[in-house]
């Protein structure tokens, strides 16, 4: 099979390159938006006693497992008219949002006011019970924070809490992934130029790495149609795709050069390379995929 593949590549190289480019474009269009389909949650066993308790609290009392905390700080203190106007205004706006169950604050819940005011008396807290569960509450928290959390009338407004924390972690995770790719690809290309001594040979592992990355993203997105996939799978699959693509290509190119130096015939060198190193790469790739 591998020898037949090599002969096909020899017979129609341009068609294969064109096909690879089309596959790359299709995989990129379908796979790149995968981050929106991945689950930001997944840290809690849905069958655990704690998860059951959270469901009961949510259904009976509207107390969700994911909360957005909004801190309102005024120079004149949390009980000043300035802070009260901002706090009650925020509560009124939040209560009209379809993304929440209920809101408790230092200005609208007298029985809880003592616990929702800071010890120095300058800050008051708004506790927002979010809808969406473990997977969507973070998105809801970010949406509400973008809409309502901003300073006004000399009063400082800040967002926090578990849901906001997860939202920021997930955003940072995606940003770090982009930074990793921006650094890894050029650096790998420079190292490969040094190893191979040529631009064309060095560009081949990078091209295959890019194809592998978007291909992995497409596979992840396909899997999300049947089950939840953690957003952290994107980091792992992207790193492995790039690393293995470069590693396998190094093995193939090095063996091809050895065969070419020994026999001198390009076609036979490619066929022998696919029959030997190609088989090794195929076995290793299948093992990694199954794992």
């Amino acid at each position: 099979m591998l020898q037949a593949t090599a002969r096909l590549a020899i017979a129609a190289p341009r068609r294969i390159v064109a096909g690879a480019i089309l596959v790359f474009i299709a995989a990129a269009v379908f796979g790149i938006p995968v981050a929106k389909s991945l689950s930001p949650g997944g840290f809690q066993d849905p069958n655990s006693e704690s998860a059951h308790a959270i469901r009961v609290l949510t259904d009976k009392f509207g107390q969700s497992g994911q909360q957005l905390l909004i801190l309102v700080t005024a120079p004149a203190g949390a009980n000043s008219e300035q802070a009260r106007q901002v706090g009650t205004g925020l509560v009124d706006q939040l209560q009209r949002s379809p993304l929440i169950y209920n809101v408790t604050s230092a200005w609208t819940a007298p029985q809880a006011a003592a616990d929702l005011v800071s010890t120095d008396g300058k800050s008051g807290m708004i506790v927002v019970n979010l809808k969406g569960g473990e997977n969507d509450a973070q998105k809801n928290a970010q949406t509400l924070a973008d809409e309502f959390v901003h300073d006004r009338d000399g009063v400082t407004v800040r967002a926090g809490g578990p849901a906001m924390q997860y939202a920021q972690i997930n955003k940072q995770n995606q940003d770090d992934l982009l930074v990793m790719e921006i650094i890894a690809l050029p650096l790998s290309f420079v190292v490969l130029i040094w190893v191979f001594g040529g631009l064309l040979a060095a560009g081949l592992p990078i091209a295959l790495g890019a194809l592998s990355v978007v291909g992995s993203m497409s596979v992840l997105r396909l899997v999300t149609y049947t089950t939840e996939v953690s957003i952290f799978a994107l980091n792992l699959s992207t790193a492995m795709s790039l690393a293995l693509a470069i590693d396998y290509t190094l093995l193939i190119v090095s063996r091809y050069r050895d065969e070419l130096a020994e026999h001198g015939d390009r076609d036979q060198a490619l066929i022998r390379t696919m029959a030997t190193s190609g088989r090794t790469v195929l076995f290793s790739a299948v093992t990694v995929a199954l794992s």
Side-chain angles (χ1 to χ4, degrees):
M1 181 185 71
L2 292 174
Q3 291 178 340
T5 302
R7 291 190 177 94
L8 178 62
I10 293 169
R14 293 183 179 179
R15 293 182 182 180
I16 290 179
V17 172
I21 293 174
L22 291 176
V23 169
F24 174 82
I25 294 173
V29 171
F30 180 75
I32 288 178
V34 67
K36 299 178 181 178
S37 304
L38 298 177
S39 170
F43 301 104
Q44 188 176 59
D45 180 4
N47 297 318
S48 65
E49 293 182 359
S50 59
H52 176 69
I54 289 174
R55 286 194 295 270
V56 172
L57 288 170
T58 301
D59 295 339
K60 300 296 184 181
F61 306 103
Q63 300 294 317
S64 70
Q66 295 287 330
Q67 294 178 329
L68 171 65
L69 305 180
I70 299 176
L71 192 68
V72 179
T73 305
N79 293 321
S80 65
E81 185 62 27
Q82 192 179 29
R84 183 176 298 277
Q85 288 181 358
V86 173
T88 54
L90 281 170
V91 171
D92 184 58
Q93 291 175 310
L94 289 165
Q95 285 177 334
R96 293 197 295 266
S97 173
L99 304 179
I100 71 170
Y101 289 110
N102 53 62
V103 184
T104 303
S105 78
W107 303 275
T108 58
Q111 69 278 9
D115 296 326
L116 297 177
V117 176
S118 63
T119 53
D120 62 5
K122 292 185 177 181
S123 302
M125 185 176 292
I126 301 173
V127 181
V128 184
N129 283 291
L130 296 165
K131 294 181 180 179
E134 192 181 12
N135 291 329
D136 295 323
Q138 297 95 330
K139 300 176 184 177
N140 295 342
Q142 188 64 61
T143 300
L144 293 173
D146 292 340
E147 184 176 357
F148 299 118
V149 179
H150 54 269
D151 298 347
R152 60 198 81 183
D153 301 328
V155 177
T156 302
V157 182
R158 295 290 182 266
M164 199 64 202
Q165 178 184 355
Y166 282 129
Q168 293 176 352
I169 289 174
N170 291 330
K171 182 180 183 302
Q172 189 64 47
N173 180 53
Q174 296 180 39
D175 293 344
D176 289 347
L177 179 62
L178 180 61
V179 171
M180 181 196 74
E181 292 174 350
I182 292 174
I183 295 174
L185 286 174
L187 185 60
S188 299
F189 184 61
V190 171
V191 173
L192 288 169
I193 292 175
W194 175 69
V195 171
F196 284 130
L199 291 175
L200 184 60
L204 182 60
I206 299 299
L208 290 178
L211 178 60
S212 179
V213 168
V214 297
S216 297
M217 290 180 174
S218 297
V219 172
L220 283 179
R221 190 173 181 189
L222 285 174
V223 175
T224 62
Y225 288 117
T226 59
T227 185
E228 289 186 4
V229 180
S230 170
I231 194 169
F232 295 103
L234 187 60
N235 295 60
L236 180 62
S237 62
T238 301
M240 287 187 64
S241 296
L242 182 60
L244 291 176
I246 293 175
D247 190 33
Y248 292 157
T249 309
L250 283 170
L251 185 61
I252 293 292
V253 172
S254 297
R255 182 57 184 263
Y256 173 75
R257 285 182 167 181
D258 291 341
E259 293 291 343
L260 186 63
E262 183 175 351
H263 301 287
D265 185 87
R266 294 169 55 187
D267 294 349
Q268 287 301 315
L270 180 59
I271 292 173
R272 290 178 62 84
T273 297
M274 292 300 293
T276 52
S277 295
R279 182 178 301 174
T280 302
V281 167
L282 178 62
F283 180 82
S284 175
V286 170
T287 302
V288 172
L290 291 176
S291 298

